[in-house]
Amino acid sequence: MENSAIEISSTGKEAFEQGDFDKAVDLFDAAAEAYIQEGNLVDAAEAKNNLSVALLQTQRAEESLKAALETDVVFEEANDPLRQAMALGNQAAALDALGRLDEALALYESSAALFGGINEKDYQATVLKSIAGIKLRKGKFQDTAYTMLDSLGAAPKPNIFQRILKFFLRLIR
């Protein structure tokens, strides 16, 4: 008997958590195909996003981008802004790994805005840090400081280091 898409996906998550990214890639790819065969496009998009993350772990950024492309549209049509924001972030991470920084920055900004709009501050803070990292690599030091300040403001419970950093970054403004 064939495994269901849910079982394949679950096994893929286990492989990912154990650090067996190559196995996770195979399983998430199989899960996405199984969901498509079932006509379940939303869960197929979720499996493709998981595939994208696993592919990044195996240093296969081009394939990662290909896996995540258009999944944000599926989640938008399903009125699922959380997964839409995650999909945009996954696409941005792949573009970032490919050195396509301007494209990555635009998608990260869309992702951060969506996370902010649904009050997912932890996710938003993570994406804002990625934005700051790109701005830093591009030599935009003042923009980096502002973005880091925004990311610290999004953190629901900043630790002592984050509060001190926030104080110093405010001095720059």
Side-chain angles (χ1 to χ4, degrees), residues 18-85:
Q18 294 169 0
D20 191 347
F21 303 119
D22 289 320
K23 183 177 180 181
V25 164
D26 292 339
L27 290 164
F28 289 137
D29 190 38
E33 288 303 315
Y35 282 124
I36 290 169
Q37 293 300 316
E38 294 175 3
N40 185 341
L41 299 183
V42 173
D43 286 335
E46 178 70 20
K48 286 182 179 184
N49 272 287
N50 291 337
L51 172 61
S52 174
V53 174
L55 284 164
L56 269 183
Q57 292 295 318
T58 62
Q59 309 300 313
R60 293 156 59 185
E62 191 70 47
E63 291 174 72
S64 173
L65 178 60
K66 185 178 176 186
L69 282 178
E70 302 299 320
T71 58
D72 59 303
V73 176
V74 173
F75 295 128
E76 181 180 27
E77 290 172 357
N79 196 28
D80 189 340
L82 175 64
R83 291 197 287 183
Q84 180 186 2

Side-chain angles (χ1 to χ4, degrees), residues 126-156:
T126 299
V127 173
L128 288 169
K129 288 175 189 171
S130 296
I131 291 169
I134 289 175
K135 289 180 178 180
L136 182 63
R137 283 181 276 155
K138 291 181 78 158
K140 297 182 178 182
F141 301 113
Q142 191 169 17
D143 286 349
T144 300
Y146 294 148
T147 304
M148 280 303 297
L149 188 56
D150 289 343
S151 80
L152 292 169

